[in-house]
Amino acid sequence: MMLLHIISPFLFLYLFFASSLLPHASSSLCSFPSLLDCEFVPGTYSYAGDVNIFGTVTLTTNGTLDLRVSGTLKIHASGSIDVTGMGYQYEDESSPGPGFRDDFGQGTGGGHGGTGGINTMHEVPYPGQPYGQPFSPTTPGSPGGSGFYNENFEPKVAPGGHGGGVVLITARQVILDGTILANGASPFDGSCSNAGTGAGGSVSIVTGMFGGSGAGLISANGGSCTESEGAGGSGGRIYIHYNQTSFSQRQILASANAYGGRSNFFKPLLTPSAPDDSTMPHIPSAADGAAGTVVFASPNTPPLLVVRRYARVNDEDKGIRRLDEIEPTFGFSGAGVTVFTNSDITQPFKLFAGAHSDVMFQGGSRYTLLGLYKLDAMVLKTSAVHVRPSQVIDIKACVSMRLEISIVMYTGSRVITPRTLTLEASSLLLGHNVTVDNLHAVRLGGNSILALSSTAYTRSFQNTFTPGTFSVFSMALADFSRIDQFDAIAFDDDTIPHVTLDVADEFIMTGHATVTATSLNLLAKSVVLSELSAVSADGRGFTTSFGLDSVQGRGPGAGVLKALDEQIHGTSAGYGGQSAFCTLFFLYQCRPQYPVGGVPYGSTAFLGNEVGSSGAYVSHGGSRPGAGGGRVSILAREYVMIAGTISARGEASTGPSGAGSGGAVTINAPQIAGQGKIDVSGGFAVDGGAGGGRVSVSSYRATYNFTGSVITSGGDAYKHVFGARIAGAPGGSGTFFLDLASSVPGGPRYRALTADNQYRRLIANDQLTIDNSAFTVVSGLGQAFHLDLLIVTGFAKLFFGPDVDTVSVGEIRGGVGGSLTVMPMQ
């Protein structure tokens, strides 16, 4: 439970009459009520009256300075309480979070309020670990790990920096114009000699009135290095409880820091305009220590929890992992994490975080937040609250909330949101088997990310519990925002992970907003994709593992390994169209080779849950196989407007490996309009392109007004021979099936089928190359089927599969080398 200290008159009466506890200092200068430069023996010192500090007050040795003043304690502008390096000393075996030395002679940072820094270039045991209580801090900081350095070609051991000491203050009033320092120490005056620095210590202030000029500062920072590659210590822990304050909230937040110590790792180069490091923004690195904890508590307002790792950072953002690159199932490497090691904090609180500050709660199961706020403009996708397995984070107190700090949810965790959640340059990352409760509407502001897994779900306003379903009333994506499905088809399992966005009202994408998925079901009243927006399953279908051995592709239309001319070749994959293959380039032509795997599969009209297949992998020539396209299914109750792009393209391969086939796109809505693009083309491969995917669109004939492009082409293929680009064999076209119902009940349907490979025509030496493209296969239509229109063009070669006996066609259109093959008995 969180303990809040309340100042009462009884405490001051006790302090006043406890005159027997007057100070016992080691110097004649240590005489109350006015203190100049002074050293105290660690211990408790009480004074009945006011105390003024004009000089530097410190300790004779490491430990705790506990000051109890019945009146006002004023630290003047010239005054300071400084216990830097007075915590756990190097090689103190009782230290709970010491740093360590790796096999390369570099030390990790000490831990306290968070984890110590770790040099990411080398393997190390682990950084200094967090400990201590953020709401009642009394623990010193831990030392950094030792390092090796050379002196006259002789190896020497550099001891790690000491941790910061402890300052405890109880007073009727505290006026802060000077400084209170409990910082971790830096070895060798900051040069470190590859040793890790100490973690910040603890500062606790309990007072009735907290004020000052606003120029004072309390710090429990980790030690920093200016040279060598020793890692920084973590920040310490600061707790300030007051009944009243003369500070604004802005001044309160600026009055105390527990920065992580900075390492010289990734130090920016100095420039003539910035002659020393103090004027240079720091480039964040995992070798820097994590932030410590700062808590401001008052009986009249919710506690303010502050986590700020750096005073200033460089927007180049080098050397630190970003939230849009992690998968919530994998967990932490351990560095850079601020930990609130507390039991359940039952009182709601506000959390403020600076750039590159990661926060985790340890020891409790449920936390209630009144808000998550950024302290720096550069917080953009770099700071987060990490919700551990089985923990609950409750942020529903507000009807709506602007989420300025990201939330990363690990397996089995749960977050209770406000009804309306707006992500502002932040991320909501949902790991496996996590739950989002109470969410009614979500808006992704610019540069925001919503990451989903196939097992995460929302307990929505509809009270649904379907895994992989994110169910809300409305959803809007602003410019450069993203929704990502982070789980893919596993290498050892052909199960396709599906994610469903179930939106009761409007789903709107504007600007450069994107949705990427392996298999996406988008259900909504209406769907609007504005110009420049995109829904993509490119390369998200079946993938081929690649390593030391050549292997075949994966999926029903997988590419195969083919021996030819005493060499192993990897063929491309098929889906709507067959893959192609040719290796003999002579007189600007190639000779197709069949059969080559990459067979077509699936239904032309009813696509189901199919995705594209992957090409075969050849383990020489620096090659890489292409993955198949994924799956996008859109079902709208009213209309779909496509001004942007919907794609499930196959991935290109490199070298002699095969490419991935295009995937599947299904759209079903009463009204479909727009001038955008739908693309399920196959991937490029040197020896022969992959087959295109399949598109199936269903609507009403009177309200179908989509005039954009539908691309189902097979993948390109070409080589460069003696400086000339020579065309190879393109993959077979995929299929575009259009089914338009009559607006009159019982009226005739209109069905059209298109196979078009014209987007894969190649030019070599300014002449149109001969056609070597593979076949397109129509299947899954039943034994007897009627088409009002059949289009075969762009060198497409179409035939109906063996499951089709009879097809009646109202009109056939051809062009640019298209051909239709009728099989025996059809």
Side-chain angles (χ1 to χ4, degrees), residues 628-644:
R631 170 183 170 273
V632 176
S633 176
I634 298 176
L635 174 62
R637 296 189 304 279
E638 291 190 358
Y639 64 88
V640 174
M641 172 63 71
I642 306 171

mmCIF file of all heavy atoms in Angstrom, residues 628-644:
data_model
loop_
_atom_site.group_PDB
_atom_site.id
_atom_site.type_symbol
_atom_site.label_atom_id
_atom_site.label_comp_id
_atom_site.label_asym_id
_atom_site.label_seq_id
_atom_site.Cartn_x
_atom_site.Cartn_y
_atom_site.Cartn_z
ATOM 1 N N GLY A 628 4.961 -14.791 -49.626
ATOM 2 C CA GLY A 628 3.705 -14.551 -50.321
ATOM 3 C C GLY A 628 2.962 -13.361 -49.748
ATOM 4 O O GLY A 628 3.232 -12.903 -48.634
ATOM 5 N N GLY A 629 2.020 -12.858 -50.512
ATOM 6 C CA GLY A 629 1.162 -11.793 -50.002
ATOM 7 C C GLY A 629 0.177 -12.334 -48.988
ATOM 8 O O GLY A 629 -0.194 -13.515 -49.019
ATOM 9 N N GLY A 630 -0.246 -11.507 -48.059
ATOM 10 C CA GLY A 630 -1.198 -11.911 -47.039
ATOM 11 C C GLY A 630 -2.635 -11.803 -47.519
ATOM 12 O O GLY A 630 -2.928 -12.005 -48.711
ATOM 13 N N ARG A 631 -3.509 -11.445 -46.611
ATOM 14 C CA ARG A 631 -4.946 -11.455 -46.902
ATOM 15 C C ARG A 631 -5.606 -10.219 -46.317
ATOM 16 O O ARG A 631 -5.355 -9.852 -45.159
ATOM 17 C CB ARG A 631 -5.570 -12.719 -46.307
ATOM 18 C CG ARG A 631 -7.078 -12.769 -46.320
ATOM 19 C CD ARG A 631 -7.584 -14.042 -45.639
ATOM 20 N NE ARG A 631 -9.024 -13.984 -45.442
ATOM 21 C CZ ARG A 631 -9.616 -13.435 -44.387
ATOM 22 N NH1 ARG A 631 -8.882 -12.898 -43.433
ATOM 23 N NH2 ARG A 631 -10.934 -13.415 -44.290
ATOM 24 N N VAL A 632 -6.477 -9.574 -47.099
ATOM 25 C CA VAL A 632 -7.274 -8.435 -46.646
ATOM 26 C C VAL A 632 -8.722 -8.697 -47.025
ATOM 27 O O VAL A 632 -9.033 -8.924 -48.195
ATOM 28 C CB VAL A 632 -6.799 -7.112 -47.275
ATOM 29 C CG1 VAL A 632 -7.721 -5.968 -46.852
ATOM 30 C CG2 VAL A 632 -5.363 -6.805 -46.886
ATOM 31 N N SER A 633 -9.607 -8.649 -46.038
ATOM 32 C CA SER A 633 -11.043 -8.819 -46.287
ATOM 33 C C SER A 633 -11.788 -7.646 -45.674
ATOM 34 O O SER A 633 -11.645 -7.368 -44.476
ATOM 35 C CB SER A 633 -11.544 -10.134 -45.681
ATOM 36 O OG SER A 633 -12.944 -10.254 -45.833
ATOM 37 N N ILE A 634 -12.560 -6.931 -46.495
ATOM 38 C CA ILE A 634 -13.313 -5.767 -46.040
ATOM 39 C C ILE A 634 -14.798 -6.023 -46.261
ATOM 40 O O ILE A 634 -15.231 -6.311 -47.380
ATOM 41 C CB ILE A 634 -12.879 -4.491 -46.788
ATOM 42 C CG1 ILE A 634 -11.391 -4.200 -46.512
ATOM 43 C CG2 ILE A 634 -13.735 -3.301 -46.364
ATOM 44 C CD1 ILE A 634 -10.853 -3.017 -47.283
ATOM 45 N N LEU A 635 -15.558 -5.914 -45.191
ATOM 46 C CA LEU A 635 -17.010 -6.081 -45.248
ATOM 47 C C LEU A 635 -17.652 -4.854 -44.626
ATOM 48 O O LEU A 635 -17.472 -4.583 -43.438
ATOM 49 C CB LEU A 635 -17.434 -7.351 -44.500
ATOM 50 C CG LEU A 635 -18.945 -7.585 -44.351
ATOM 51 C CD1 LEU A 635 -19.599 -7.727 -45.731
ATOM 52 C CD2 LEU A 635 -19.214 -8.824 -43.506
ATOM 53 N N ALA A 636 -18.380 -4.073 -45.439
ATOM 54 C CA ALA A 636 -19.036 -2.859 -44.964
ATOM 55 C C ALA A 636 -20.540 -2.965 -45.162
ATOM 56 O O ALA A 636 -21.001 -3.479 -46.192
ATOM 57 C CB ALA A 636 -18.487 -1.639 -45.699
ATOM 58 N N ARG A 637 -21.281 -2.464 -44.204
ATOM 59 C CA ARG A 637 -22.742 -2.540 -44.287
ATOM 60 C C ARG A 637 -23.313 -1.460 -45.206
ATOM 61 O O ARG A 637 -24.437 -1.610 -45.706
ATOM 62 C CB ARG A 637 -23.357 -2.416 -42.899
ATOM 63 C CG ARG A 637 -22.983 -3.557 -41.967
ATOM 64 C CD ARG A 637 -23.796 -3.508 -40.678
ATOM 65 N NE ARG A 637 -23.668 -2.239 -39.979
ATOM 66 C CZ ARG A 637 -22.643 -1.914 -39.192
ATOM 67 N NH1 ARG A 637 -21.646 -2.785 -39.019
ATOM 68 N NH2 ARG A 637 -22.587 -0.756 -38.577
ATOM 69 N N GLU A 638 -22.582 -0.361 -45.418
ATOM 70 C CA GLU A 638 -23.099 0.715 -46.269
ATOM 71 C C GLU A 638 -22.203 0.976 -47.472
ATOM 72 O O GLU A 638 -22.640 0.797 -48.605
ATOM 73 C CB GLU A 638 -23.300 1.992 -45.458
ATOM 74 C CG GLU A 638 -24.435 1.883 -44.439
ATOM 75 C CD GLU A 638 -24.780 3.220 -43.813
ATOM 76 O OE1 GLU A 638 -24.120 4.237 -44.140
ATOM 77 O OE2 GLU A 638 -25.711 3.253 -42.973
ATOM 78 N N TYR A 639 -20.959 1.418 -47.272
ATOM 79 C CA TYR A 639 -20.146 1.732 -48.438
ATOM 80 C C TYR A 639 -18.657 1.622 -48.120
ATOM 81 O O TYR A 639 -18.236 1.694 -46.959
ATOM 82 C CB TYR A 639 -20.455 3.129 -48.982
ATOM 83 C CG TYR A 639 -20.111 4.263 -48.033
ATOM 84 C CD1 TYR A 639 -18.840 4.843 -48.023
ATOM 85 C CD2 TYR A 639 -21.072 4.775 -47.163
ATOM 86 C CE1 TYR A 639 -18.536 5.876 -47.167
ATOM 87 C CE2 TYR A 639 -20.779 5.815 -46.311
ATOM 88 C CZ TYR A 639 -19.505 6.363 -46.312
ATOM 89 O OH TYR A 639 -19.202 7.383 -45.452
ATOM 90 N N VAL A 640 -17.874 1.463 -49.205
ATOM 91 C CA VAL A 640 -16.416 1.486 -49.151
ATOM 92 C C VAL A 640 -15.935 2.500 -50.172
ATOM 93 O O VAL A 640 -16.306 2.433 -51.352
ATOM 94 C CB VAL A 640 -15.813 0.098 -49.454
ATOM 95 C CG1 VAL A 640 -14.288 0.191 -49.543
ATOM 96 C CG2 VAL A 640 -16.226 -0.916 -48.403
ATOM 97 N N MET A 641 -15.132 3.446 -49.716
ATOM 98 C CA MET A 641 -14.544 4.451 -50.589
ATOM 99 C C MET A 641 -13.034 4.219 -50.628
ATOM 100 O O MET A 641 -12.358 4.288 -49.592
ATOM 101 C CB MET A 641 -14.847 5.860 -50.084
ATOM 102 C CG MET A 641 -14.104 6.964 -50.820
ATOM 103 S SD MET A 641 -14.524 7.101 -52.565
ATOM 104 C CE MET A 641 -16.195 7.749 -52.439
ATOM 105 N N ILE A 642 -12.490 3.922 -51.821
ATOM 106 C CA ILE A 642 -11.073 3.604 -51.958
ATOM 107 C C ILE A 642 -10.404 4.666 -52.813
ATOM 108 O O ILE A 642 -10.500 4.646 -54.046
ATOM 109 C CB ILE A 642 -10.868 2.217 -52.593
ATOM 110 C CG1 ILE A 642 -11.634 1.146 -51.820
ATOM 111 C CG2 ILE A 642 -9.386 1.866 -52.646
ATOM 112 C CD1 ILE A 642 -11.663 -0.198 -52.510
ATOM 113 N N ALA A 643 -9.765 5.633 -52.154
ATOM 114 C CA ALA A 643 -8.927 6.591 -52.869
ATOM 115 C C ALA A 643 -7.453 6.252 -52.671
ATOM 116 O O ALA A 643 -6.598 6.739 -53.406
ATOM 117 C CB ALA A 643 -9.209 8.003 -52.387
ATOM 118 N N GLY A 644 -7.158 5.420 -51.685
ATOM 119 C CA GLY A 644 -5.791 4.985 -51.413
ATOM 120 C C GLY A 644 -5.499 3.639 -52.052
ATOM 121 O O GLY A 644 -5.954 3.345 -53.158
#
